[in-house]
Amino acid sequence: MAADVRSWWARRSLRLRLTAAAALVIAAGLAGAALLLVVWLHASLINGLDQTVLQRAQVVAADVDSNQIGAEVPATSHAEAAVQIVDGKGDVLSSSANLRGLPRLFTFPASRSGTPHAHTVHDIPEHRNGTWRAVGVPAGTPHNPVTVYVAVPTESVDHGLAQLSAGLATGVPAVVALLTGIVWLLTGRALRPVDAMRAQTAEITGSDLSRRLDVPPANDALGRLATTFNDLLGRLDAATRRQRRFIADAAHELRSPLSTLHTRLEVADHHPESAHWQTLAPDLLRETERLNRLVDDLLRIARLDARPRLRTRPVDLDEIVFAEVREARSRTRLVIDQHAVGAARLTGDEDALARVVRNLLDNALRYAATRIDISLHTLHNTAHLVVADDGPGIPEADRERVFGRFTRLDDARARGTGGSGLGLAIVRDIVTAHHGSTHIEDNHPGTRLVVQLPTGEP
């Protein structure tokens, strides 16, 4: 029950986090857009107001030039406009009705440019708390210059923007709430297949990796994720099966020499008067050597599976071959011909390559009838190592299978010959780690084991 509650809360928490993030983004976007709208609209309305002030000032200036202005400037369609005409001494010559009898209110100089610049002014008596946009333009004659000041209040603009801001302050949260609800629904719908995949994944255990996730029908990112995860499960399943088979085979291989040792020692212990230790010792020594080889091969396989870094350096493969041939000759009466071994220098792990040559020779010694022939040459930046024997040979159908672990063929290639079934598997793993290849050919009679290794950096 507690696990179900935690799972439900984890799903709901993810949905809440995604929705909160989306709501934050939406709110920030809408707030930014609203702010930009208010700023743009304010600038646009003020610019329109400035144009109105300028046009009115130009009309009054034209009337001044034609001597049509008296002590009071006639009203226009813009009844709230404030007008003052000031001479060079700063005295007010004429003004609009709403500024009648007031002293000079505008102190900024007239603009001499083609497009006069508007100014923001405050504290005009009619609207002491208001803001005005004012412009000054020159008029009159050179001998009697005057300045025409015209101002209009920004109250209408401010009022309109205040209403718009209030509407946005009310509408933006409502839109955010609506969009957040939509995101909540869409997020739940989008996470539903993810939650289904999570539930299926939780049911997959290490003891049963054969199960797979249901792939959504849509060819989207989620479908590709499910496919990729199924591929991963397939690889894990194959690796687990291979590991279990390897452990079972290893246990089976270890059981044989241990059982032999245990049986013979048990018989000798129960019947010490009939135990002939001088004849028993060689058999026990043989079984322990077999057990030691098997454990050594298992350790080597485990290290190769762990993919350790190769201690690479320039290596003379021919020197390795000569050293391993000398050691093999000390253990056999078979003819080992090395006359076809030529120089081959490559980059690799010397100990691992020595193990390759040793395993190939051990395999040949185990099955050869009279002789073993070894050749080594370099062609097209590839070293070709061939170990040939005149034994019973390997059927073509089994030539790939013998590189598997614990693989033995019937008859001559049986457990009784002393092999662990890991020698050629180790050869292939080491050669593959050096970016090389292995294969088997006919020797008429016998078998040719061919190893190809690049002479460059692996």
Side-chain angles (χ1 to χ4, degrees):
M1 181 65 181
D4 294 338
V5 171
R6 286 195 298 269
S7 176
W8 175 87
W9 175 249
R11 296 195 303 272
R12 186 56 57 90
S13 177
L14 175 60
R15 190 176 178 185
L16 285 172
R17 289 196 297 269
L18 291 175
T19 305
L24 183 62
V25 172
I26 293 171
L30 289 178
L35 179 62
L36 289 176
L37 175 62
V38 170
V39 171
W40 173 82
L41 189 58
H42 178 268
S44 178
L45 293 175
I46 290 297
N47 182 64
L49 205 59
D50 291 345
Q51 294 297 322
T52 300
V53 174
L54 178 58
Q55 292 173 4
R56 175 59 178 154
Q58 290 173 343
V59 170
V60 174
D63 292 341
V64 170
D65 292 340
S66 60
N67 295 320
Q68 297 180 5
I69 298 296
E72 183 175 313
V73 178
T76 62
S77 58
H78 205 302
E80 293 184 338
V83 181
Q84 279 188 338
I85 301 174
V86 181
D87 62 13
K89 298 178 182 180
D91 297 329
V92 178
L93 301 178
S94 180
S95 64
S96 57
N98 52 6
L99 298 182
R100 184 185 304 115
L102 295 178
R104 179 178 182 178
L105 300 176
F106 308 99
T107 59
F108 57 89
S111 176
R112 303 295 176 180
S113 62
T115 304
H117 178 66
H119 297 262
T120 299
V121 296
H122 305 276
D123 301 331
I124 292 180
E126 185 180 358
H127 296 80
R128 286 194 173 274
N129 296 324
T131 302
W132 298 64
R133 295 292 290 177
V135 67
V137 297
T141 64
H143 300 289
N144 187 25
V146 297
T147 303
V148 176
Y149 291 103
V150 178
V152 294
T154 62
E155 181 181 2
S156 60
V157 173
D158 296 337
H159 181 69
L161 289 177
Q163 289 183 327
L164 175 63
S165 299
L168 290 175
T170 304
V172 168
V175 173
V176 170
L178 176 62
L179 293 179
T180 301
I182 295 174
V183 170
W184 173 266
L185 295 176
L186 293 179
T187 303
R189 183 176 181 181
L191 291 179
R192 196 172 299 122
V194 176
D195 186 57
M197 290 175 57
R198 183 209 58 78
Q200 291 179 349
T201 304
E203 295 175 357
I204 299 175
T205 62
S207 59
D208 183 16
L209 293 174
S210 61
R211 301 185 62 176
R212 297 294 182 267
L213 302 182
D214 294 334
V215 180
N219 186 21
D220 54 6
L222 194 60
R224 293 190 294 272
L225 176 62
T227 301
T228 302
F229 196 81
N230 284 339
D231 293 340
L232 174 62
L233 286 174
R235 293 192 297 271
L236 288 175
D237 188 22
T240 302
R241 291 176 183 273
R242 186 166 59 250
Q243 192 70 17
R244 289 172 179 169
R245 186 167 57 250
F246 174 74
I247 293 173
D249 291 340
H252 180 71
E253 292 294 331
L254 288 170
R255 180 183 299 171
S256 178
L258 287 175
S259 297
T260 301
L261 287 171
H262 181 271
T263 300
R264 293 188 179 183
L265 289 174
E266 186 178 32
V267 171
D269 182 57
H270 289 169
H271 305 282
E273 71 283 354
S274 62
H276 300 286
W277 292 104
Q278 292 183 347
T279 59
L280 187 62
D283 292 337
L284 296 178
L285 183 61
R286 214 168 20 250
E287 291 298 328
T288 57
E289 289 177 350
R290 176 182 169 190
L291 186 61
N292 184 67
R293 286 195 304 269
L294 179 57
V295 171
D296 186 52
D297 287 343
L298 289 173
L299 180 60
R300 173 68 64 173
I301 286 289
R303 289 175 177 173
L304 290 172
D305 285 344
R307 299 187 182 277
R309 290 181 60 87
L310 297 174
R311 294 171 294 179
T312 59
R313 63 182 184 85
V315 175
D316 291 319
L317 186 58
D318 51 311
E319 295 296 334
I320 295 177
V321 171
F322 292 145
E324 293 298 328
V325 167
R326 285 194 298 270
E327 195 278 332
R329 283 174 174 170
S330 66
R331 297 185 281 116
T332 184
R333 296 182 179 180
L334 295 174
V335 175
I336 302 179
D337 189 347
Q338 62 180 19
H339 291 94
V341 175
R345 189 173 180 82
L346 51 85
T347 301
D349 188 314
E350 184 174 5
D351 293 338
L353 293 175
R355 186 59 181 259
V356 168
V357 178
R358 188 180 311 130
N359 284 8
L360 292 176
L361 286 172
D362 287 346
N363 184 79
L365 288 173
R366 193 171 297 121
Y367 305 115
T370 59
R371 64 182 290 121
I372 299 172
D373 295 290
I374 303 176
S375 65
L376 175 64
H377 66 277
T378 301
L379 180 65
H380 302 307
N381 296 323
T382 302
H384 297 260
L385 173 64
V386 180
V387 178
D389 64 69
D390 59 352
I394 300 176
E396 186 172 355
D398 296 324
R399 291 177 183 175
E400 188 64 26
R401 189 165 65 90
V402 295
F403 289 105
R405 298 174 182 183
F406 298 108
T407 299
R408 296 186 184 87
L409 303 182
D410 296 334
D411 301 332
R413 298 180 182 266
R415 180 181 284 108
T417 60
S420 65
L422 294 173
L424 294 183
I426 293 174
V427 167
R428 168 156 286 185
D429 287 347
I430 294 176
V431 171
T432 301
H434 284 77
H435 304 281
S437 63
T438 56
H439 65 275
I440 296 176
E441 300 175 352
D442 284 326
N443 193 42
H444 305 295
T447 301
R448 288 165 52 90
L449 285 165
V450 182
V451 171
Q452 297 176 329
L453 293 165
T455 55
E457 189 76 24

